[in-house]
Every structure is written in structure tokens, then in C-alpha cells.
């Protein structure tokens, strides 16, 4: 009752403050309720089961139609595999070379489920390289009826033959073997990220708080949020099937926002206690201020993530669902179980002090104070310098090229990646075929056969489409697929040019002229192009949705048109700089030797749009946190210039700590083996670092100083917007 009387005396409090106050009063219910929620979510996920996104289901455009027809005709039965036999000295006609090939054919032929076994000596010269030193044995795993042998068993059989013929190179590559290698690599990467990110985060938190208990709470909250989100993902996966990257994104985003939100809350509560407030008053102040900032930041992130659904692409929607789940869970935990734990522990949160870190500094940051003091003295100069630097970093983004990494996503250290490279050199374009899928009443009819023969002749004559040419037909004779190897790597401009030649000229002028025939061109290059085209069409809609809703949210929260517009502009600068760095590092290959990757001459197709929504949401954490403190000070009568300096100096410690946690976790992902995870880690880490330093410490105070009272400009016709309390109205100290 006393708490309620004090709250009534101070006036209305916001939603975060009410939730925090309830949780503090009912701390056992909040704590055990949270633990029960996490346990139920995780167990429920196991019971419901995860529905994964199939390859065909995630493909848009003409490539998607081709994949659908391919599956409908049963042409996807069996995973295509190739075994490369290669020698520097022997040719394919030498007895020792032939003996190795025959041994491999016998070993593969004895494996259950292996079908369509094609020898390089069956008359198809396309399976022997032009120099005669390489040969391909091709087969399909699972093409026959009955349970096929596992890919592990197939690989073991090939390895036994390779050991028996040490003078030749023998290696396998195909859909099943590449999927296994990628899955194993992903599992190792995910395990490594877990092992490294948790100790690193704990170490940063120990430096931040100087106490074991205080450092452990944010980490535990983040980990439980990740655990709950992983379980909950199974439920929406039956509507939006889950992509393989979803769990990695949940861990990445969950650790970042879970720790950030806890840092904001705990540091404010400790700050209020250091000012002399009693336990209950300090907790109420933290809930009303930092709790509100957490809620506003979380809603902003969720709004940004919701833009993923507007892409019309199932892979992005799946990743967006995972990110939204972990952010919503982290916000819920920060507003409920966190204040309950703080109420339970009180000053015991300082237990386990680290001797050298025991006297953690409180109050204003001297380093950031010195920077901000210089910035506000000459704001125009600092806006020009910092803004110019960010524009220069963002400039390479105009050369951004996106593609589907495909086989180039294989970590270069894997043996299967080396086999792929050897096949690509010996049979250029071989592992990256384009499929012309045909549907008709009878694909064996004479007009279709003649058109297909003309297509093959003209395709090979163009020198942009090459052997091996493969032909498969469905059992009922209504669907067939003709496979061509494309010039180039499969994802570069040369391959895309060959694809467009096939789509726009060769197919329309041959099979496209046969009445009653439906034709679609698919394959990796086609999937990449159609995916890029889809995102280019939908990107403006996503940008407008995210920026529009974020503007409305910030306008309502801070009652200022200028604050909302400026926040969006500054965040776009951070995102643009991150894009520019991605182009320089991964597209131009500046970081190949440092980060140990093979340049794909482009950025993974889904990454730019995903980075935009994630970075826009995450960068709002700091912006909202700092602006909340600025608004508190202004509402108490402080001048805007003084309020900005005060807010940045007092929040510098927690913003720096939160940024270091994020950058540390993201940097771990930059060291993992898969190119997509490297790009994700570099993009997120660079943007957060830029945002927490150049943007928040320089551009924000400089622009606010220049704008002065205009920072809080609100047209009269918007005066109806609700007034939100930014801090308890009383500054009295409770004993």
C-alpha cells in the first residue's frame, strides 16, 4: 500500500514501470513463472517438432516454377553425386587410371540406393576433361527403390578406393555430400560460437559491473531468452518453415539484446542507489526510465523485423520470425523477471566483487565527457568530419552486388570444397547447371525432340553453355529436364549472362515455339537472379514500412518531429557504412587473408535487407536510451545542450559496455567458417561499433547542439499526441 501511495503521489507511471512494480511485489511468481515459461517453451518445441524449409519451397520466380515442375515429375529422386578421378601424369585412357575408375564403379554399384551410375567411358566424352587427366563418375543416391545407403557409407566406400590408389586424386562432390559437409560445419560453428560467446560476454560484464552476481544476471537472462525462443520457433515453423540460419540468428540476436536490455536496467538501478535512493525507489526509477527505454527499443526492433514478411520470401520470413521471438522474449524477461531478481537480491547483487574491479566507477565518463565537450564547442566542424567519414565508408555500397553463394559458401578448408574447385577447373561450369524443365502431354513427341536437339546445338555453339548436358524424364513422360553447364562460376556476371541468353533467346526460339509446351529455366544461377530480382522489387516497400512505423513510434515517444527524423537519418548512416564495409571486405576481397574466406565477388542475397532491419532495430537501443535521458533532463528544466552533454556522459559506460558485448559476439561469428556467417558478423559488428562511437558520441550531440530548441519541434496540429512521463517527477531521496 505504501508503494501505491508513493506512486499515486508522483502521478501516472508508464507501462514498463507498472510491470516492473508488479514483478517486484510478486517476485516469486515472476521468477518461477519465467523459469516455467522457458521450460515449457523448450519442451513444447520438441513435442511440436520443427518444420524445415525445403529447397523448392523457398524459390521465387521462374526458378521456383522450374523447381516445382522438377519435383512434380519425380526428377528430384536421388541426390546427384560425382566422383572425380584425377592425375597430373596419367590420362583417362591409361590402365592405372581405368583401374581406379572401375574399382570406384564396382564399390558404388554395390551400395543400396545408388542408381543412374554413369561411367566416363560409356561414350559420353563430356565426363572426361579436355586435357584427358580428369574423369567424372556420376550417380544418384536414392534413385532406386528401397532405403538408400547413408552418405557416410558412400563416402567411406570412395575413401577406401582412394587409399588403394594413392597415385591418383579421388574426391566426391554432390548435393548429399555437400549438405553433409555444410551441416557438420554449421554444427561445429554453432558449437564454437556458443563456447566463445558466453565466456566473452561474461568477461565483458565482469569488467562492467566488477561483481560476479551482477555480471551473471544479464547473461542468464539472455541465455534463457534464447532457449525459450529456440523452443517457440517450432510452433510458427508450421506456418513459416524454419531455415537453417534461424537458430544462429536467435543466438546472435538473443545474446546481444538480452544483455543490452539487462545492462540498461541494472546500471540505472545501481545508479539510483548510488545517488542515495532506497531499494524500492531505485527500482521504481529504473523501471520507469530504463524499463521504458527497453520496451520502446524492443518494439522498434520488432517493427523492423516485421518488415521481413513484406519481402514475400520464405527464407527471410523464417529468419525474421526467429529474431522477433528472441527479441520479444528478451523484452518480456527484462520487464518481469529482471526487476523481480533485483528486488530479491537488493544490494547483494554486488556480491562476488573482483578485487581489481571492485571499485567500479559511477557517474560521468571522463573519456566521453572530454569528447562531447569538444564536440559541442565546435559542432559544425564535427558534423562535417564525422558525417564525411560515414559517407566515405558508405560510398562502396553503390557497387553492392548480391548473389547466392552456392558452392562457394563451402568453407575453403573442407576437403569437399577442394574437390569442388578441382571439378570446376577440369569441367568449367559443371557443378552449376541450369535446368530447362519442360512439361507437355508427351515430352517424347517428335516436335519436342527436334526443338530440344536444336536447343542443345545452339546452346553449345554459343560457348556460354557447355557440356555435360544431361536429360531426365518423368515416368509418365509429361515432364523432362535438360541440364546445361553454364560458363563462369555459377554466381558471377558471366553465368548470369549465359542464363539470360538461355531464357530470353535460346528457349523461346526453340522449345518455346512448340504448341502446348510449358518451359521454365531453373538452377542455382536462376535461383540467385530471381531471388535478387524479388528483393529489389520488395526492398522499397520494406524500407518504407520500417522507416514509417519507426518514425511514428519515435514521434509518439518523444513528441518531436526532429528527433524522429534525425534518429532515422543517423541510423541509415550506420547501415550505409556497414554496407560499404561489406562490399570492400567481401566483394572486393580486402579481407580474404585476414578472415580466411574465398571471395564470391558479391554479398549473400538475403543479407543486405536482413542487416537493414536488424541494424535499424539494434541501433535504436542506444538512441532511445540516450534520448530518454536527454528528455528526462529537459523535462526537469535543463537546457538542451546541457541535457545532451549530461545524458551522453552518464550513459557512456553502459552504452560502451553494451556495444562491446554486441561487437564481441558478432566478431565471433566473423571468425566462423561459413561465408554467410562471416558476412553477418562483420556487417553487424561494424555497424554497432560505428553507431556506438561516431554516431552517438559525435554526430548526435553535435546535431542536437546545432538544432537547439528545434530538437523538440512539434507542430500544433500534433499537440494531441499523448504526453509520456520520462522520469519520476520527484527527485527526493528515500532512506
Amino acid at each position: 500500500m505504501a508503494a501505491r501511495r508513493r506512486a499515486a503521489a508522483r502521478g501516472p507511471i508508464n507501462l514498463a514501470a507498472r510491470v516492473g512494480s508488479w514483478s517486484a511485489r510478486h517476485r516469486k511468481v515472476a521468477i518461477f513463472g519465467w523459469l516455467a515459461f522457458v521450460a515449457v517453451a523448450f519442451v513444447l518445441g520438441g513435442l511440436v517438432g520443427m518444420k524445415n524449409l525445403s529447397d523448392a519451397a523457398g524459390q521465387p520466380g521462374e526458378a521456383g516454377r522450374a523447381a516445382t515442375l522438377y519435383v512434380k515429375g519425380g526428377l528430384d529422386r536421388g541426390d546427384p553425386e560425382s566422383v572425380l578421378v584425377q592425375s597430373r601424369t596419367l590420362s583417362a585412357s591409361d590402365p592405372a587410371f581405368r583401374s581406379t575408375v572401375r574399382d570406384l564403379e564396382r564399390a558404388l554399384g554395390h551400395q543400396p540406393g545408388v542408381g543412374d551410375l554413369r561411367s566416363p567411358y560409356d561414350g559420353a566424352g563430356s565426363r572426361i576433361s579436355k586435357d584427358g587427366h580428369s574423369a567424372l563418375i556420376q550417380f544418384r543416391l536414392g534413385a532406386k527403390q528401397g532405403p538408400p545407403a547413408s552418405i557416410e557409407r558412400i563416402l567411406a566406400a570412395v575413401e577406401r578406393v582412394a587409399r588403394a590408389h594413392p597415385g591418383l586424386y579421388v574426391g566426391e562432390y554432390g548435393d548429399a555430400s555437400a549438405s553433409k559437409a555444410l551441416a557438420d560445419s554449421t554444427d561445429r560453428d554453432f558449437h564454437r560460437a556458443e563456447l566463445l560467446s558466453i565466456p566473452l560476454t561474461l568477461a565483458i560484464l565482469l569488467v562492467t559491473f566488477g561483481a560476479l552476481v551482477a555480471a551473471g544476471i544479464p547473461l542468464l537472462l539472455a541465455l534463457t531468452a534464447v532457449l525459450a525462443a529456440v523452443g517457440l520457433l517450432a510452433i510458427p515453423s508450421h506456418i513459416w518453415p524454419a531455415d537453417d540460419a534461424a537458430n544462429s540468428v536467435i543466438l546472435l540476436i538473443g545474446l546481444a539484446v538480452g544483455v543490452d536490455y539487462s545492462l540498461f536496467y541494472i546500471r540505472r538501478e545501481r545508479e539510483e542507489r548510488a545517488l542515495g535512493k532506497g531499494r524500492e525507489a531505485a527500482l521504481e526509477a529504473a523501471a520507469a526510465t530504463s524499463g521504458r527505454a527497453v520496451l520502446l527499443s524492443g518494439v522498434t526492433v520488432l517493427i523492423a523485423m516485421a518488415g521481413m514478411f513484406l519481402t514475400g520470401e520464405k527464407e527471410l520470413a523464417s529468419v525474421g520470425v526467429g529474431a522477433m521471438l528472441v527479441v520479444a522474449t528478451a523484452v518480456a524477461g527484462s520487464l518481469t523477471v529482471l526487476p523481480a531478481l533485483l528486488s530479491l537480491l537488493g544490494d547483494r547483487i554486488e556480491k562476488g566483487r573482483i578485487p581489481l574491479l571492485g571499485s567500479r566507477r559511477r557517474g560521468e565518463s571522463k573519456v566521453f565527457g572530454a569528447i562531447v565537450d569538444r564536440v559541442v564547442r565546435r559542432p559544425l566542424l564535427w558534423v562535417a568530419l564525422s558525417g564525411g567519414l560515414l559517407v566515405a565508408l558508405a560510398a562502396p555500397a553503390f557497387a553492392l552486388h548480391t548473389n547466392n553463394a552456392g558452392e562457394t559458401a563451402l568453407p575453403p578448408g573442407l576437403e569437399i570444397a577442394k574437390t569442388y574447385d578441382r571439378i570446376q577447373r577440369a569441367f568449367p561450369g559443371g557443378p552449376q547447371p541450369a535446368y530447362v524443365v519442360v512439361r507437355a502431354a508427351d515430352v517424347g513427341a517428335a516436335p519436342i525432340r527436334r526443338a530440344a536437339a536444336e536447343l542443345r546445338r545452339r546452346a553449345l555453339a554459343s560457348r556460354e553453355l557447355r557440356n555435360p548436358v544431361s536429360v531426365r524424364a518423368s515416368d509418365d513422360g509429361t515432364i523432362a529436364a535438360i541440364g546445361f553447364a553454364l560458363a563462369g562460376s555459377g554466381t558471377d556476371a558471366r553465368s548470369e549472362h549465359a542464363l539470360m541468353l538461355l531464357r530470353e533467346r535460346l528457349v523461346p526460339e526453340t522449345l518455346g515455339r512448340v504448341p502446348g509446351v510449358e518451359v521454365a529455366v531453373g538452377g542455382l544461377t536462376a535461383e540467385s537472379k530471381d531471388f535478387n530480382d524479388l528483393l529489389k522489387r520488395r526492398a522499397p516497400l520494406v524500407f518504407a514500412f520500417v522507416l514509417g512505423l519507426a518514425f511514428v513510434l519515435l514521434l509518439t515517444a518523444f513528441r518531436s518531429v526532429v528527433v524522429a527524423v534525425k534518429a532515422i537519418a543517423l541510423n541509415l548512416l550506420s547501415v550505409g557504412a556497414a554496407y560499404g564495409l561489406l562490399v570492400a571486405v567481401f566483394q572486393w576481397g580486402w579481407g580474404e587473408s585476414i578472415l580466411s574466406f574465398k571471395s564470391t565477388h558479391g554479398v549473400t542475397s538475403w543479407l543486405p535487407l536482413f542487416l537493414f532491419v536488424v541494424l535499424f532495430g539494434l541501433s535504436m537501443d542506444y538512441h532511445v536510451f540516450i534520448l530518454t535521458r536527454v528528455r528526462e533532463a529537459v523535462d526537469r528544466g535543463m537546457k538542451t545542450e546541457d541535457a545532451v552533454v549530461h545524458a551522453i556522459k552518464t550513459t557512456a559506460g553502459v552504452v560502451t559496455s553494451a556495444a562491446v558485448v554486441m561487437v564481441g559476439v558478432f566478431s565471433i561469428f566473423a571468425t566462423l567458417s561459413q561465408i554467410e556467417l562471416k558476412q553477418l558478423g562483420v556487417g553487424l559488428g561494424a555497424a554497432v561499433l560505428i553507431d556506438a562511437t561516431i554516431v552517438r558520441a559525435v554526430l548526435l550531440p553535435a546535431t542536437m547542439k546545432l538544432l537547439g530548441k528545434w530538437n523538440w519541434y512539434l507542430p500544433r496540429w500534433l499537440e494531441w499526441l499523448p504526453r509520456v512521463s520520462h522520469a519520476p517527477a520527484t527527485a527526493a531521496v528515500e532512506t
Side-chain angles (χ1 to χ4, degrees):
M1 293 297 295
R4 291 178 182 175
R5 285 195 298 271
R6 284 194 298 273
R10 286 192 295 269
I13 57 178
N14 57 53
L15 175 62
R18 290 197 296 271
V19 173
S21 178
W22 182 91
S23 298
R25 294 196 310 270
H26 305 85
R27 56 198 187 201
K28 288 185 178 179
V29 175
I31 293 171
F32 288 107
W34 174 258
L35 294 176
F37 162 72
V38 172
V40 169
F42 190 73
V43 172
L44 185 62
L47 293 175
V48 171
M50 191 78 70
K51 183 178 180 182
N52 294 314
L53 186 66
S54 67
D55 291 338
Q59 298 168 12
E62 184 177 345
R65 295 199 306 275
T68 301
L69 290 174
Y70 198 83
V71 172
K72 187 173 182 179
L75 304 181
D76 63 330
R77 287 198 303 268
D79 294 313
E81 293 284 318
S82 297
V83 178
L84 173 68
V85 182
Q86 195 172 60
S87 173
R88 291 183 178 180
T89 57
L90 300 177
S91 68
S93 60
D94 290 328
F97 198 109
R98 283 180 172 270
S99 175
T100 304
V101 172
R102 296 305 183 198
D103 287 351
L104 284 166
E105 290 172 353
R106 281 193 292 270
L108 292 170
H110 291 153
Q111 301 297 322
V114 170
D116 294 343
L117 184 62
R118 298 183 182 185
S119 170
Y121 303 120
D122 66 359
S126 60
R127 287 189 284 275
I128 296 177
S129 63
K130 288 184 178 180
D131 63 7
H133 291 285
S134 304
L136 281 180
I137 303 169
Q138 296 177 320
F139 65 95
R140 285 184 172 267
L141 178 60
K144 289 185 177 181
Q145 295 296 325
S150 66
I151 187 60
E152 291 86 354
R153 183 172 170 179
I154 299 291
L155 292 169
V158 171
E159 179 61 26
R160 284 194 297 271
V161 176
R163 287 198 300 268
H165 298 272
L168 289 87
Y169 178 85
V170 177
E172 182 175 345
Y173 177 84
D175 286 355
S177 51
S179 295
K180 179 185 182 302
L182 272 176
D184 291 345
S185 176
T186 300
D187 289 343
R188 288 193 299 270
D189 279 349
F190 196 71
H191 185 59
R192 181 183 174 194
E194 288 176 319
L195 290 178
L196 293 177
S197 59
I198 293 173
L200 177 62
T201 302
L202 182 59
I204 295 169
L205 291 172
L206 282 172
V207 173
T208 301
F209 290 110
L212 283 169
V213 175
I217 289 177
L219 186 57
L220 286 174
L221 178 62
L223 290 177
T224 52
V226 168
L227 195 66
V230 168
L232 291 173
L233 182 63
I235 300 173
S237 74
H238 291 267
I239 301 174
W240 299 283
D243 183 73
D244 293 338
N247 282 339
S248 296
V249 169
I250 286 176
L251 175 64
L252 191 73
I253 303 300
L255 274 179
V257 300
V259 169
D260 267 19
Y261 295 160
S262 300
L263 270 173
F264 295 165
Y265 212 116
I266 295 173
R267 283 296 292 266
R268 184 57 184 263
E269 191 271 344
R270 291 289 86 195
E271 182 183 323
E272 297 292 337
R273 284 290 284 144
L275 291 174
K277 286 189 177 181
R279 289 170 52 183
E280 190 174 343
L283 189 55
E284 288 178 356
T289 54
S290 291
R292 177 180 176 274
V294 166
L295 181 60
L296 183 57
S297 297
V299 172
T300 307
V301 176
L302 292 175
I303 287 174
M305 292 295 176
M308 306 282 263
F309 295 104
L310 299 178
T311 63
E313 209 288 316
K314 294 182 179 180
E315 182 180 359
L316 283 174
S318 164
V319 173
V321 168
M324 291 178 72
L325 280 173
V326 77
V327 170
T329 307
V331 170
S334 300
L335 298 182
T336 56
V337 70
L338 183 56
L341 285 171
L342 293 177
S343 175
L344 176 66
L345 292 171
D347 291 335
R348 287 175 295 176
I349 196 174
E350 303 285 356
K351 289 285 186 181
R353 304 296 299 179
I354 309 299
L356 296 179
L357 304 174
S359 56
R360 293 298 300 149
R361 58 188 178 278
R362 287 177 170 71
E364 298 184 347
S365 166
K366 293 181 180 179
V367 175
F368 275 83
I371 295 173
V372 174
D373 287 340
R374 286 169 172 77
V375 167
V376 295
R377 280 200 295 268
R378 305 185 69 180
L380 194 58
L381 173 65
W382 286 102
V383 166
L385 290 176
S386 56
L389 175 60
L390 291 183
V391 170
L393 288 174
F398 289 101
L400 179 67
H401 174 69
T402 57
N403 60 33
N404 184 337
E407 279 77 0
T408 54
L410 288 168
L414 295 182
E415 185 61 34
I416 195 168
K418 297 175 184 177
T419 300
Y420 166 77
D421 289 338
R422 284 174 175 262
I423 295 175
Q424 186 69 14
R425 287 193 297 269
F427 304 91
Q432 307 280 0
Y435 291 103
V436 179
V437 186
V438 183
R439 179 165 68 175
D442 179 11
V443 293
I448 296 177
R449 290 203 311 271
R450 286 194 297 269
E454 177 65 10
L455 171 63
R456 176 172 180 166
R457 185 190 66 77
R458 293 183 59 181
L460 296 179
S462 73
R463 298 185 179 277
E464 294 197 46
L465 294 107
R466 305 168 174 171
N467 279 311
V469 177
S470 62
V471 180
R472 302 190 75 204
S474 62
D475 294 338
D476 62 4
T478 60
I479 296 176
I482 308 169
F484 293 94
L486 295 175
S489 67
T491 57
D492 59 6
R494 192 177 178 193
S495 294
E496 192 167 302
H497 185 271
L499 170 72
M500 298 315 295
L501 173 67
L502 188 62
R503 278 183 167 180
E504 296 178 355
R505 284 183 50 195
L506 300 182
V507 169
E509 293 173 4
T510 55
L511 287 167
R513 291 181 174 177
V514 180
V517 171
E518 178 183 357
V519 188
V521 180
L524 176 67
T525 308
E527 293 165 16
S528 179
K529 185 180 188 310
D530 291 349
F531 188 95
N532 283 336
D533 290 346
L534 173 67
L535 293 190
K536 286 176 183 177
R537 291 194 304 271
R538 297 296 182 91
L541 181 62
V542 175
F543 274 65
F545 172 81
V546 173
L547 297 180
L549 285 185
F551 174 81
V552 171
L553 183 66
L554 292 169
L555 175 66
T556 305
F558 294 103
R559 291 178 55 82
S560 167
V561 172
V562 175
V563 164
V565 171
K566 185 153 56 66
I568 289 172
L570 293 179
N571 287 341
L572 287 177
L573 273 177
S574 298
V575 174
Y579 282 178
L581 286 171
L582 281 175
V583 170
V585 173
F586 293 99
Q587 192 168 313
W588 296 348
W590 288 7
E592 278 193 45
S593 59
I594 299 173
L595 295 175
S596 301
F597 69 92
K598 182 173 62 177
S599 175
T600 61
H601 306 293
V603 176
T604 302
S605 297
W606 58 269
L607 198 61
L609 200 58
F610 178 75
L611 281 178
F612 165 71
V613 297
V614 172
L615 291 174
F616 192 86
L618 293 182
S619 61
M620 279 296 181
D621 282 356
Y622 309 134
H623 206 85
V624 167
F625 187 60
I626 294 172
L627 284 179
T628 298
R629 297 298 290 267
V630 173
R631 188 77 214 200
E632 286 178 34
V634 170
D635 287 348
R636 290 172 177 171
M638 192 178 290
K639 292 182 180 179
T640 296
E641 175 185 337
D642 297 333
V644 171
V645 173
H646 167 73
I648 292 179
K649 287 181 178 180
T650 54
T651 60
V654 66
V655 168
T656 302
S657 300
V660 170
V661 169
M662 280 197 182
V663 173
V665 173
F666 297 155
S667 297
I668 290 171
F669 274 71
T671 66
L672 301 182
S673 57
Q674 290 192 49
I675 188 70
E676 292 182 349
L677 297 181
K678 285 182 183 292
Q679 293 177 354
L680 185 62
V682 169
L684 289 173
V688 170
L689 183 62
I690 290 169
D691 191 80
T693 53
I694 298 174
V695 173
R696 304 304 158 207
V698 180
L699 268 177
L700 178 61
T703 53
M704 293 197 82
K705 170 64 184 296
L706 288 173
L707 290 168
K709 290 184 178 180
W710 284 101
N711 282 291
W712 313 110
Y713 170 71
L714 185 71
R716 289 184 179 179
W717 56 275
L718 288 176
E719 286 293 338
W720 56 269
L721 288 173
R723 294 183 179 274
V724 183
S725 174
H726 291 267
T730 181
V733 174
E734 180 188 335
T735 59

